[in-house]
Coordinates of all heavy atoms in Angstrom, one line a residue:
M1 N 2.3 12.3 2.4 CA 1.5 11.7 1.4 C 0.1 12.2 1.4 O -0.6 12.3 0.4 CB 1.6 10.2 1.6 CG 2.9 9.5 1.1 SD 2.9 7.8 1.3 CE 3.3 7.7 3.1
D2 N -0.4 12.4 2.6 CA -1.7 13.0 2.8 C -1.8 14.4 2.2 O -2.8 14.8 1.6 CB -2.2 12.9 4.2 CG -3.7 13.0 4.4 OD1 -4.4 12.6 3.5 OD2 -4.1 13.5 5.5
D3 N -0.8 15.2 2.5 CA -0.7 16.6 2.1 C -0.8 16.7 0.5 O -1.4 17.7 0.0 CB 0.5 17.3 2.6 CG 0.5 17.5 4.1 OD1 -0.6 17.4 4.7 OD2 1.5 17.8 4.6
V4 N -0.3 15.8 -0.2 CA -0.3 15.8 -1.7 C -1.5 15.1 -2.3 O -1.7 15.0 -3.5 CB 1.0 15.3 -2.3 CG1 2.2 16.2 -1.9 CG2 1.2 13.9 -2.0
G5 N -2.4 14.5 -1.4 CA -3.6 13.9 -1.9 C -3.4 12.5 -2.3 O -4.3 11.9 -3.0
F6 N -2.3 11.8 -2.0 CA -2.1 10.5 -2.4 C -2.9 9.5 -1.6 O -3.4 8.5 -2.2 CB -0.6 10.1 -2.3 CG -0.3 8.8 -3.0 CD1 -0.2 8.6 -4.3 CD2 0.0 7.7 -2.2 CE1 0.1 7.4 -4.9 CE2 0.3 6.4 -2.8 CZ 0.3 6.3 -4.1
L7 N -3.0 9.7 -0.3 CA -3.8 8.8 0.5 C -5.3 9.0 0.2 O -5.7 10.1 -0.2 CB -3.5 9.1 2.0 CG -2.1 8.9 2.4 CD1 -1.9 9.1 3.9 CD2 -1.5 7.5 2.0
M8 N -6.1 7.9 0.4 CA -7.5 7.9 0.1 C -8.3 7.8 1.4 O -7.9 7.1 2.3 CB -7.8 6.8 -0.9 CG -7.1 6.8 -2.2 SD -7.4 5.4 -3.2 CE -9.0 5.6 -3.7
V9 N -9.5 8.3 1.3 CA -10.5 8.0 2.4 C -11.4 6.9 1.9 O -12.1 7.0 0.9 CB -11.4 9.3 2.6 CG1 -12.4 9.0 3.7 CG2 -10.5 10.4 3.1
F10 N -11.3 5.7 2.6 CA -12.1 4.6 2.3 C -12.0 3.6 3.4 O -11.2 3.8 4.3 CB -11.6 3.9 1.0 CG -10.3 3.2 1.1 CD1 -10.2 1.8 1.1 CD2 -9.1 3.9 1.2 CE1 -9.0 1.1 1.2 CE2 -7.9 3.2 1.3 CZ -7.9 1.9 1.3
N11 N -12.7 2.5 3.4 CA -12.7 1.6 4.5 C -11.5 0.6 4.3 O -11.6 -0.4 3.7 CB -14.0 0.8 4.6 CG -14.1 -0.1 5.8 OD1 -13.0 -0.5 6.4 ND2 -15.3 -0.3 6.3
W12 N -10.3 1.1 4.7 CA -9.1 0.3 4.5 C -9.1 -1.0 5.1 O -8.5 -2.0 4.6 CB -7.9 1.2 4.8 CG -7.8 1.6 6.2 CD1 -8.3 2.7 6.8 CD2 -7.2 0.9 7.3 NE1 -8.1 2.8 8.1 CE2 -7.4 1.7 8.5 CE3 -6.5 -0.3 7.4 CZ2 -7.0 1.3 9.7 CZ3 -6.1 -0.7 8.7 CH2 -6.3 0.1 9.8
S13 N -9.6 -1.2 6.3 CA -9.6 -2.5 7.0 C -10.5 -3.5 6.2 O -10.1 -4.7 6.1 CB -10.0 -2.4 8.4 OG -11.3 -1.8 8.6
E14 N -11.6 -3.0 5.7 CA -12.5 -3.9 4.9 C -11.7 -4.3 3.6 O -11.8 -5.4 3.1 CB -13.8 -3.2 4.6 CG -14.8 -4.0 3.8 CD -16.1 -3.3 3.6 OE1 -16.7 -2.9 4.6 OE2 -16.5 -3.1 2.4
W15 N -11.1 -3.3 3.0 CA -10.3 -3.5 1.7 C -9.3 -4.6 1.9 O -9.1 -5.5 1.1 CB -9.7 -2.2 1.2 CG -9.0 -2.4 -0.1 CD1 -9.6 -2.5 -1.4 CD2 -7.6 -2.6 -0.3 NE1 -8.6 -2.6 -2.3 CE2 -7.4 -2.7 -1.7 CE3 -6.5 -2.6 0.6 CZ2 -6.1 -2.8 -2.2 CZ3 -5.3 -2.7 0.1 CH2 -5.0 -2.9 -1.3
L16 N -8.5 -4.5 3.0 CA -7.5 -5.5 3.3 C -8.1 -6.9 3.5 O -7.5 -7.9 3.1 CB -6.7 -5.1 4.6 CG -5.6 -4.1 4.4 CD1 -5.0 -3.7 5.7 CD2 -4.6 -4.5 3.4
A17 N -9.3 -6.9 4.2 CA -9.9 -8.2 4.4 C -10.3 -8.9 3.0 O -10.3 -10.1 2.8 CB -11.2 -8.1 5.2
E18 N -10.7 -8.0 2.0 CA -11.0 -8.5 0.7 C -9.8 -8.8 -0.2 O -9.9 -9.5 -1.2 CB -11.9 -7.5 0.0 CG -13.3 -7.3 0.7 CD -14.0 -6.1 0.1 OE1 -13.5 -5.4 -0.8 OE2 -15.1 -5.9 0.6
N19 N -8.7 -8.2 0.1 CA -7.5 -8.4 -0.6 C -6.4 -9.1 0.2 O -5.4 -8.4 0.6 CB -7.0 -7.0 -1.1 CG -7.9 -6.4 -2.2 OD1 -7.8 -6.7 -3.3 ND2 -8.9 -5.6 -1.7
E20 N -6.6 -10.3 0.5 CA -5.9 -11.1 1.5 C -4.4 -11.1 1.2 O -3.6 -11.2 2.1 CB -6.4 -12.5 1.5 CG -6.0 -13.2 2.7 CD -6.8 -14.5 2.9 OE1 -8.0 -14.5 2.8 OE2 -6.1 -15.6 3.1
V21 N -4.0 -11.0 -0.1 CA -2.6 -11.0 -0.4 C -1.8 -9.9 0.3 O -0.6 -10.1 0.7 CB -2.3 -11.0 -1.9 CG1 -2.8 -9.6 -2.5 CG2 -0.9 -11.3 -2.3
Y22 N -2.5 -8.8 0.5 CA -1.8 -7.6 1.2 C -1.9 -7.6 2.7 O -1.2 -6.9 3.4 CB -2.4 -6.3 0.6 CG -2.2 -6.2 -0.9 CD1 -3.2 -6.0 -1.7 CD2 -0.9 -6.2 -1.4 CE1 -3.0 -5.9 -3.1 CE2 -0.7 -6.0 -2.8 CZ -1.8 -5.9 -3.6 OH -1.6 -5.7 -5.0
R23 N -2.9 -8.4 3.2 CA -3.2 -8.4 4.6 C -2.0 -9.0 5.5 O -1.6 -8.4 6.5 CB -4.5 -9.1 4.9 CG -4.9 -9.0 6.4 CD -6.2 -9.6 6.6 NE -6.2 -11.0 6.2 CZ -7.3 -11.7 6.0 NH1 -8.5 -11.2 6.3 NH2 -7.2 -13.0 5.7
D24 N -1.4 -10.1 5.1 CA -0.3 -10.7 5.8 C 1.0 -10.1 5.3 O 1.4 -10.2 4.2 CB -0.3 -12.2 5.5 CG 0.8 -12.9 6.3 OD1 1.6 -12.3 7.0 OD2 0.8 -14.2 6.2
L25 N 1.6 -9.3 6.2 CA 2.8 -8.6 5.9 C 4.0 -9.5 5.5 O 4.9 -9.0 4.9 CB 3.2 -7.7 7.0 CG 2.2 -6.6 7.4 CD1 2.8 -5.7 8.5 CD2 1.9 -5.7 6.2
D26 N 3.9 -10.8 5.8 CA 5.0 -11.7 5.4 C 4.7 -12.3 4.1 O 5.6 -13.0 3.6 CB 5.1 -12.8 6.5 CG 5.6 -12.2 7.8 OD1 6.5 -11.3 7.8 OD2 5.2 -12.7 8.9
N27 N 3.6 -12.0 3.4 CA 3.4 -12.5 2.1 C 4.3 -11.8 1.1 O 4.6 -10.7 1.2 CB 1.9 -12.2 1.6 CG 0.9 -13.3 2.1 OD1 1.3 -14.4 2.5 ND2 -0.3 -12.9 2.0
P28 N 4.8 -12.6 0.2 CA 5.7 -11.9 -0.9 C 4.7 -11.2 -1.9 O 4.1 -11.8 -2.7 CB 6.4 -13.1 -1.5 CG 5.5 -14.3 -1.3 CD 4.8 -14.0 0.0
V29 N 4.6 -9.9 -1.7 CA 3.6 -9.1 -2.5 C 4.2 -8.4 -3.7 O 3.6 -7.7 -4.4 CB 2.9 -8.1 -1.6 CG1 2.0 -8.8 -0.5 CG2 3.8 -7.1 -0.9
G30 N 5.5 -8.6 -3.9 CA 6.2 -7.9 -4.9 C 5.5 -8.1 -6.3 O 5.3 -7.1 -7.0
S31 N 5.2 -9.3 -6.7 CA 4.6 -9.5 -8.0 C 3.2 -8.8 -8.1 O 2.8 -8.3 -9.1 CB 4.5 -11.0 -8.3 OG 3.7 -11.7 -7.4
S32 N 2.4 -8.9 -7.0 CA 1.1 -8.2 -6.9 C 1.3 -6.7 -7.1 O 0.5 -6.1 -7.8 CB 0.4 -8.6 -5.7 OG 0.1 -9.9 -5.6
I33 N 2.2 -6.2 -6.4 CA 2.5 -4.7 -6.5 C 2.9 -4.3 -7.9 O 2.5 -3.3 -8.4 CB 3.5 -4.2 -5.4 CG1 2.8 -4.4 -4.0 CG2 3.9 -2.8 -5.6 CD1 3.8 -4.1 -2.9
R34 N 3.8 -5.1 -8.5 CA 4.4 -4.8 -9.8 C 3.3 -4.8 -10.9 O 3.5 -4.3 -11.9 CB 5.5 -5.7 -10.1 CG 6.8 -5.4 -9.4 CD 8.0 -6.2 -9.9 NE 7.9 -7.6 -9.7 CZ 8.2 -8.2 -8.6 NH1 8.7 -7.6 -7.6 NH2 8.1 -9.6 -8.5
S35 N 2.1 -5.4 -10.6 CA 1.1 -5.4 -11.6 C -0.1 -4.6 -11.2 O -1.2 -4.6 -11.8 CB 0.6 -6.9 -11.9 OG 0.1 -7.5 -10.8
A36 N 0.0 -3.9 -10.0 CA -1.1 -3.1 -9.5 C -1.4 -1.8 -10.3 O -0.4 -1.2 -10.8 CB -0.8 -2.8 -8.0
D37 N -2.6 -1.4 -10.2 CA -3.0 -0.1 -10.8 C -2.8 1.0 -9.8 O -2.5 0.7 -8.6 CB -4.4 -0.1 -11.4 CG -5.5 -0.4 -10.4 OD1 -5.2 -0.4 -9.1 OD2 -6.6 -0.7 -10.8
L38 N -3.0 2.2 -10.2 CA -2.8 3.4 -9.3 C -3.7 3.3 -8.1 O -3.3 3.6 -7.0 CB -3.0 4.7 -10.1 CG -2.8 6.0 -9.3 CD1 -1.4 6.0 -8.7 CD2 -3.1 7.2 -10.2
V39 N -5.0 3.0 -8.3 CA -5.9 3.0 -7.2 C -5.5 1.9 -6.1 O -5.5 2.2 -4.9 CB -7.4 2.7 -7.7 CG1 -8.3 2.5 -6.5 CG2 -7.8 3.9 -8.5
T40 N -5.1 0.8 -6.6 CA -4.6 -0.3 -5.7 C -3.4 0.2 -4.9 O -3.3 0.0 -3.7 CB -4.3 -1.6 -6.4 OG1 -5.5 -2.0 -7.1 CG2 -3.8 -2.6 -5.5
L41 N -2.5 0.9 -5.6 CA -1.3 1.4 -4.9 C -1.6 2.4 -3.8 O -1.1 2.4 -2.7 CB -0.3 1.9 -5.9 CG 0.3 1.0 -6.9 CD1 1.1 1.7 -8.0 CD2 1.1 -0.1 -6.3
R42 N -2.5 3.3 -4.2 CA -3.0 4.3 -3.2 C -3.7 3.7 -2.0 O -3.5 4.1 -0.9 CB -3.9 5.3 -3.9 CG -3.2 6.2 -4.9 CD -4.1 7.1 -5.6 NE -4.7 8.1 -4.6 CZ -5.8 8.8 -4.8 NH1 -6.5 8.7 -5.9 NH2 -6.1 9.7 -3.9
K43 N -4.5 2.7 -2.3 CA -5.2 2.0 -1.2 C -4.2 1.2 -0.3 O -4.4 1.3 0.9 CB -6.3 1.1 -1.7 CG -7.5 1.8 -2.2 CD -8.6 0.8 -2.7 CE -9.8 1.6 -3.1 NZ -10.9 0.7 -3.4
L44 N -3.3 0.6 -0.9 CA -2.3 -0.1 -0.1 C -1.5 0.8 0.7 O -1.3 0.5 1.9 CB -1.4 -1.0 -1.1 CG -0.4 -1.9 -0.4 CD1 -1.0 -2.8 0.6 CD2 0.4 -2.6 -1.5
M45 N -1.0 1.9 0.2 CA -0.2 2.8 0.9 C -1.0 3.5 2.0 O -0.6 3.6 3.2 CB 0.4 3.9 0.0 CG 1.4 4.8 0.7 SD 2.9 4.0 1.2 CE 3.8 4.1 -0.3
T46 N -2.3 3.8 1.7 CA -3.2 4.3 2.8 C -3.4 3.3 3.9 O -3.3 3.7 5.1 CB -4.6 4.7 2.1 OG1 -4.4 5.6 1.1 CG2 -5.5 5.2 3.2
S47 N -3.5 2.1 3.6 CA -3.7 1.0 4.6 C -2.5 0.9 5.5 O -2.6 0.7 6.7 CB -3.9 -0.3 3.9 OG -5.1 -0.3 3.1
Y48 N -1.3 1.0 4.9 CA -0.1 1.0 5.7 C 0.0 2.2 6.6 O 0.4 2.0 7.8 CB 1.2 1.0 4.8 CG 1.4 -0.3 4.0 CD1 2.1 -0.3 2.8 CD2 0.9 -1.5 4.4 CE1 2.4 -1.4 2.1 CE2 1.2 -2.7 3.7 CZ 1.9 -2.6 2.6 OH 2.1 -3.8 1.9
V49 N -0.3 3.4 6.1 CA -0.2 4.6 6.9 C -1.2 4.6 8.0 O -0.9 4.8 9.2 CB -0.3 5.9 6.0 CG1 -0.4 7.1 6.9 CG2 0.9 5.9 5.1
R50 N -2.5 4.3 7.7 CA -3.5 4.3 8.6 C -3.4 3.2 9.6 O -3.6 3.3 10.8 CB -4.9 4.2 8.0 CG -5.2 5.3 7.0 CD -5.5 6.6 7.7 NE -6.0 7.6 6.7 CZ -5.3 8.7 6.4 NH1 -4.2 9.0 7.1 NH2 -5.8 9.5 5.5
G51 N -2.9 2.0 9.2 CA -2.7 0.9 10.0 C -1.6 1.1 11.1 O -1.7 0.6 12.2
D52 N -0.7 2.0 10.7 CA 0.4 2.3 11.7 C -0.1 3.0 12.9 O 0.5 2.9 14.0 CB 1.5 3.1 11.0 CG 2.7 3.3 11.9 OD1 3.4 2.2 12.0 OD2 3.0 4.4 12.4
R53 N -1.3 3.7 12.8 CA -1.9 4.4 13.9 C -2.3 3.3 15.0 O -2.3 3.6 16.2 CB -3.1 5.2 13.5 CG -2.8 6.4 12.7 CD -4.0 7.2 12.5 NE -3.8 8.3 11.7 CZ -4.7 9.2 11.3 NH1 -5.9 9.0 11.6 NH2 -4.4 10.2 10.6
F54 N -2.7 2.2 14.5 CA -3.2 1.1 15.4 C -2.2 0.1 15.8 O -2.3 -0.6 16.7 CB -4.5 0.5 14.8 CG -5.6 1.4 14.5 CD1 -5.8 1.9 13.2 CD2 -6.4 1.9 15.5 CE1 -6.8 2.8 13.0 CE2 -7.4 2.8 15.3 CZ -7.6 3.3 14.0
N55 N -1.2 0.0 14.9 CA -0.1 -1.0 15.1 C 1.2 -0.3 14.9 O 1.8 -0.3 13.8 CB -0.3 -2.2 14.2 CG 0.7 -3.3 14.3 OD1 1.5 -3.2 15.2 ND2 0.7 -4.2 13.4
E56 N 1.7 0.4 15.9 CA 2.9 1.2 15.8 C 4.0 0.4 15.3 O 4.3 -0.7 15.8 CB 3.2 1.8 17.2 CG 4.4 2.8 17.1 CD 4.6 3.6 18.4 OE1 3.7 3.6 19.2 OE2 5.7 4.1 18.5
G57 N 4.7 0.9 14.3 CA 5.8 0.2 13.7 C 5.5 -0.5 12.4 O 6.4 -1.1 11.7
L58 N 4.2 -0.6 12.1 CA 3.8 -1.3 10.9 C 4.4 -0.6 9.6 O 4.9 -1.3 8.8 CB 2.2 -1.2 10.7 CG 1.7 -1.9 9.5 CD1 0.6 -2.9 9.9 CD2 1.2 -0.9 8.5
F59 N 4.4 0.7 9.6 CA 4.9 1.4 8.4 C 6.4 1.1 8.3 O 6.9 0.9 7.2 CB 4.6 2.9 8.4 CG 4.9 3.5 7.1 CD1 4.0 3.4 6.0 CD2 6.0 4.3 6.9 CE1 4.3 4.0 4.8 CE2 6.3 4.9 5.7 CZ 5.5 4.7 4.6
L60 N 7.1 1.2 9.4 CA 8.6 0.9 9.3 C 8.8 -0.5 8.9 O 9.7 -0.8 8.1 CB 9.2 1.1 10.7 CG 10.6 0.8 10.9 CD1 11.5 1.7 9.9 CD2 11.1 1.0 12.3
S61 N 8.0 -1.4 9.3 CA 8.1 -2.8 8.9 C 7.9 -3.0 7.4 O 8.7 -3.7 6.8 CB 7.1 -3.7 9.7 OG 7.1 -5.0 9.3
V62 N 6.9 -2.4 6.9 CA 6.7 -2.6 5.4 C 7.8 -1.9 4.6 O 8.1 -2.3 3.5 CB 5.3 -2.2 5.0 CG1 4.2 -3.1 5.6 CG2 5.0 -0.7 5.3
C63 N 8.3 -0.8 5.2 CA 9.5 -0.2 4.5 C 10.7 -1.1 4.5 O 11.3 -1.3 3.5 CB 9.9 1.1 5.2 SG 8.7 2.5 5.0
M64 N 11.0 -1.8 5.7 CA 12.1 -2.7 5.8 C 11.9 -3.9 4.9 O 12.9 -4.5 4.5 CB 12.4 -3.0 7.2 CG 12.8 -1.7 8.0 SD 13.2 -2.1 9.7 CE 14.7 -3.0 9.5
K65 N 10.7 -4.4 4.7 CA 10.4 -5.5 3.9 C 10.5 -5.2 2.4 O 10.4 -6.1 1.6 CB 9.1 -6.1 4.3 CG 9.0 -6.8 5.7 CD 7.6 -7.3 6.0 CE 7.5 -7.8 7.4 NZ 8.2 -9.1 7.6
G66 N 10.5 -4.0 2.1 CA 10.6 -3.6 0.7 C 9.3 -3.3 0.0 O 9.3 -3.0 -1.2
H67 N 8.2 -3.4 0.7 CA 6.9 -3.1 0.2 C 6.7 -1.7 -0.3 O 6.2 -1.5 -1.4 CB 5.8 -3.5 1.2 CG 5.8 -4.9 1.6 ND1 4.7 -5.7 1.4 CD2 6.7 -5.6 2.3 CE1 5.0 -6.9 1.9 NE2 6.2 -6.9 2.5
V68 N 7.2 -0.8 0.4 CA 7.0 0.7 0.0 C 7.9 0.9 -1.2 O 7.5 1.6 -2.1 CB 7.4 1.6 1.2 CG1 7.4 3.0 0.8 CG2 6.3 1.4 2.3
A69 N 9.1 0.4 -1.2 CA 10.0 0.6 -2.4 C 9.3 0.0 -3.6 O 9.4 0.6 -4.7 CB 11.3 -0.1 -2.1
E70 N 8.7 -1.2 -3.5 CA 8.0 -1.8 -4.6 C 6.9 -0.8 -5.1 O 6.7 -0.7 -6.3 CB 7.4 -3.1 -4.3 CG 8.4 -4.2 -4.0 CD 9.0 -4.8 -5.3 OE1 8.5 -4.5 -6.4 OE2 9.9 -5.6 -5.2
I71 N 6.1 -0.2 -4.2 CA 5.1 0.7 -4.5 C 5.7 1.9 -5.3 O 5.1 2.3 -6.3 CB 4.3 1.1 -3.3 CG1 3.5 0.0 -2.7 CG2 3.4 2.3 -3.6 CD1 2.9 0.2 -1.4
L72 N 6.7 2.4 -4.8 CA 7.3 3.6 -5.4 C 7.9 3.3 -6.8 O 7.7 4.0 -7.8 CB 8.4 4.2 -4.6 CG 8.0 4.8 -3.2 CD1 9.2 5.2 -2.4 CD2 7.0 5.9 -3.4
L73 N 8.5 2.1 -7.0 CA 9.0 1.7 -8.3 C 7.8 1.5 -9.3 O 7.9 1.9 -10.4 CB 9.8 0.4 -8.2 CG 11.1 0.5 -7.5 CD1 11.7 -0.9 -7.2 CD2 12.1 1.4 -8.3
R74 N 6.7 0.9 -8.8 CA 5.5 0.7 -9.7 C 4.9 2.1 -10.0 O 4.5 2.3 -11.2 CB 4.5 -0.1 -9.0 CG 3.2 -0.4 -9.7 CD 3.5 -1.1 -11.1 NE 2.2 -1.3 -11.7 CZ 2.0 -1.4 -13.0 NH1 3.1 -1.4 -13.8 NH2 0.8 -1.6 -13.5
L75 N 4.9 3.0 -9.1 CA 4.4 4.4 -9.4 C 5.2 5.0 -10.5 O 4.7 5.6 -11.4 CB 4.4 5.2 -8.2 CG 3.3 4.9 -7.1 CD1 3.5 5.7 -5.9 CD2 1.9 5.3 -7.7
R76 N 6.6 4.9 -10.4 CA 7.4 5.4 -11.4 C 7.2 4.8 -12.8 O 7.1 5.5 -13.8 CB 8.9 5.3 -11.0 CG 9.9 5.9 -12.0 CD 11.3 5.9 -11.5 NE 11.8 4.5 -11.4 CZ 12.9 4.2 -10.9 NH1 13.8 5.1 -10.5 NH2 13.3 2.9 -10.8
E77 N 7.0 3.5 -12.8 CA 6.7 2.8 -14.0 C 5.4 3.3 -14.6 O 5.3 3.5 -15.8 CB 6.6 1.3 -13.7 CG 6.3 0.4 -14.9 CD 6.2 -1.0 -14.5 OE1 7.3 -1.6 -14.0 OE2 5.2 -1.6 -14.7
L78 N 4.3 3.4 -13.8 CA 3.1 3.9 -14.3 C 3.2 5.3 -14.9 O 2.6 5.6 -15.9 CB 2.0 3.9 -13.2 CG 1.5 2.5 -12.8 CD1 0.6 2.6 -11.5 CD2 0.8 1.8 -13.9
K79 N 3.9 6.1 -14.2 CA 4.1 7.5 -14.6 C 4.8 7.6 -16.0 O 4.5 8.3 -16.9 CB 4.9 8.3 -13.6 CG 5.0 9.8 -14.0 CD 5.8 10.6 -13.0 CE 5.9 12.0 -13.4 NZ 7.2 12.6 -13.2
S80 N 5.8 6.7 -16.1 CA 6.6 6.8 -17.4 C 5.8 6.2 -18.5 O 6.2 6.5 -19.7 CB 7.9 6.0 -17.2 OG 7.7 4.6 -17.0
S81 N 4.8 5.5 -18.3 CA 4.0 4.9 -19.4 C 2.9 5.9 -19.9 O 2.2 5.6 -20.8 CB 3.4 3.6 -18.9 OG 2.3 3.8 -18.0
L82 N 2.8 7.0 -19.2 CA 1.8 8.0 -19.7 C 2.2 8.7 -20.9 O 3.2 9.0 -21.3 CB 1.5 9.0 -18.6 CG 0.9 8.5 -17.3 CD1 0.7 9.6 -16.3 CD2 -0.5 7.9 -17.6

């Protein structure tokens, strides 16, 4: 994801603190993701990838919870609406 420029350079931990719905991995975030814009999706995915460096297994956890699948589905939806 980083190689194709999808991930962003920003203060992801601060962003998560401001976007509490995404901070708790047990929150049902499907509806929030389904209405998210491209920048939010990029920030969320970046937060998951970067967060895995400090909390090993985080990315696997969000994959298993379906968060990454929701992001990918939303990206497909955004692309098809262009």
